Amino acid sequence: MKIFNSLIILTLVTACTTPESNLNSRSSHNNYLNLSEITMIELDQTKRFPIHTIISITNEKKPYISYTKKIVVASYKVDDVKKIWGESAFKKIEKSWKKEFSVSDLKYLNRYSHGLKIFLQNQKELPSAQSNKTCNRNNVRFYVKSNTKEENSFTIPGNLLCQNTKMMVGFKKFIKEMNSLVLKYQPSLNSLDLASL
């Protein structure tokens, strides 16, 4: 009888603990960092010569953030830029840096990107951008890659970002978060590596 009671108790304990261990494995799976790389490029179309601001976060053995700001012009327009903005225009504007990135920030971006279904966004399916003369937001291009080699890239027009739809509000917040990381990780002015052509 004692053996029979022990078997019943053992079965009950096992039955109670199994779902809990499954829950733990499920929650750790949800915390898995699927985001391997995200690059956000803001394309400043308001100036005669566009300035591209590139923020890229790469999740390797040591996650890092890199930042680049540069004038993007065809080679035949370089002299025009120097005439209008001065001889040192490129040196004044172009800068780049790279810094190690906190895993907790990476986890936060990972959750955010999945909330926006960033791996499933399709440029063709984005709502049409209405013309808005007062809108002066930059076009934003995204490139994302997962640890399972899943990739996606799409561009959100500036006019579309001026709309207050749920999706665009989410993307505006995401863009703001990416830009705030630059302020957080930006090296001191003395250590900035100014790029030159």
Side-chain angles (χ1 to χ4, degrees), residues 9-24:
I9 291 167
L10 182 63
T11 307
L12 285 170
V13 169
T14 308
C16 290
T17 55
T18 304
E20 190 180 339
S21 62
N22 285 344
L23 284 172
N24 288 339

Side-chain angles (χ1 to χ4, degrees), residues 14 23 31 34 44 48 65 77 95 105 156:
T14 308
L23 284 172
N31 289 332
N34 191 36
D44 188 346
R48 183 172 173 184
I65 179 172
K77 287 187 177 178
K95 64 179 177 180
D105 284 330
I156 302 179

Side-chain angles (χ1 to χ4, degrees), residues 68-111:
T68 307
K69 188 174 185 178
K70 60 182 179 178
I71 307 171
V72 179
V73 292
S75 56
Y76 67 89
K77 287 187 177 178
V78 169
D79 288 334
D80 291 341
V81 174
K82 289 180 178 178
K83 279 178 193 171
I84 294 165
W85 286 352
E87 196 69 28
S88 61
F90 291 99
K91 287 183 181 178
K92 282 178 187 172
I93 290 166
E94 294 202 8
K95 64 179 177 180
S96 62
W97 51 264
K98 189 190 288 188
K99 204 162 183 190
E100 280 186 18
F101 191 71
S102 165
V103 174
S104 61
D105 284 330
L106 190 62
K107 283 181 180 175
Y108 176 73
L109 278 181
N110 187 63
R111 284 197 307 270

Side-chain angles (χ1 to χ4, degrees), residues 4 30 38 53 76 84 86 89 99 103 111 118 151 153 168 173 177 179-180:
F4 183 70
N30 289 339
I38 180 162
T53 304
Y76 67 89
I84 294 165
K99 204 162 183 190
V103 174
R111 284 197 307 270
I118 210 161
E151 290 180 270
S153 61
M168 288 307 115
K173 285 182 181 175
E177 287 297 327
N179 281 309
S180 70

Side-chain angles (χ1 to χ4, degrees), residues 1 4 32 40 48 50 54 57 60 62 76 96 101 109 116 130 142 157 179 181 193:
M1 189 67 179
F4 183 70
Y32 176 66
M40 183 180 90
R48 183 172 173 184
I54 306 163
I57 292 156
E60 292 179 343
K62 286 186 178 178
Y76 67 89
S96 62
F101 191 71
L109 278 181
L116 287 170
Q130 298 169 353
F142 284 98
N179 281 309
L181 291 169
D193 174 29

Side-chain angles (χ1 to χ4, degrees), residues 23-161:
L23 284 172
N24 288 339
S25 64
R26 246 182 262 143
S27 65
S28 65
H29 179 70
N30 289 339
N31 289 332
Y32 176 66
L33 290 174
N34 191 36
L35 192 65
S36 172
E37 183 182 339
I38 180 162
T39 299
M40 183 180 90
I41 307 172
E42 286 195 68
L43 312 166
D44 188 346
Q45 304 297 335
T46 59
K47 293 184 171 62
R48 183 172 173 184
F49 303 111
I51 297 172
H52 290 202
T53 304
I54 306 163
I55 304 168
S56 190
I57 292 156
T58 308
N59 176 20
E60 292 179 343
K61 289 178 183 176
K62 286 186 178 178
Y64 65 87
I65 179 172
S66 59
Y67 174 84
T68 307
K69 188 174 185 178
K70 60 182 179 178
I71 307 171
V72 179
V73 292
S75 56
Y76 67 89
K77 287 187 177 178
V78 169
D79 288 334
D80 291 341
V81 174
K82 289 180 178 178
K83 279 178 193 171
I84 294 165
W85 286 352
E87 196 69 28
S88 61
F90 291 99
K91 287 183 181 178
K92 282 178 187 172
I93 290 166
E94 294 202 8
K95 64 179 177 180
S96 62
W97 51 264
K98 189 190 288 188
K99 204 162 183 190
E100 280 186 18
F101 191 71
S102 165
V103 174
S104 61
D105 284 330
L106 190 62
K107 283 181 180 175
Y108 176 73
L109 278 181
N110 187 63
R111 284 197 307 270
Y112 215 134
S113 67
H114 284 288
L116 287 170
K117 297 180 180 166
I118 210 161
F119 286 104
L120 302 174
Q121 289 299 336
N122 187 329
Q123 206 158 326
K124 292 176 185 175
E125 292 173 10
L126 288 171
S128 60
Q130 298 169 353
S131 59
N132 185 345
K133 290 179 182 178
T134 60
C135 177
N136 60 356
R137 288 196 71 106
N138 297 331
N139 293 350
V140 181
R141 186 180 300 150
F142 284 98
Y143 165 75
V144 284
K145 187 177 178 181
S146 73
N147 286 336
T148 54
K149 308 301 180 202
E150 190 180 7
E151 290 180 270
N152 194 18
S153 61
F154 57 96
T155 301
I156 302 179
N159 281 348
L160 196 57
L161 283 165

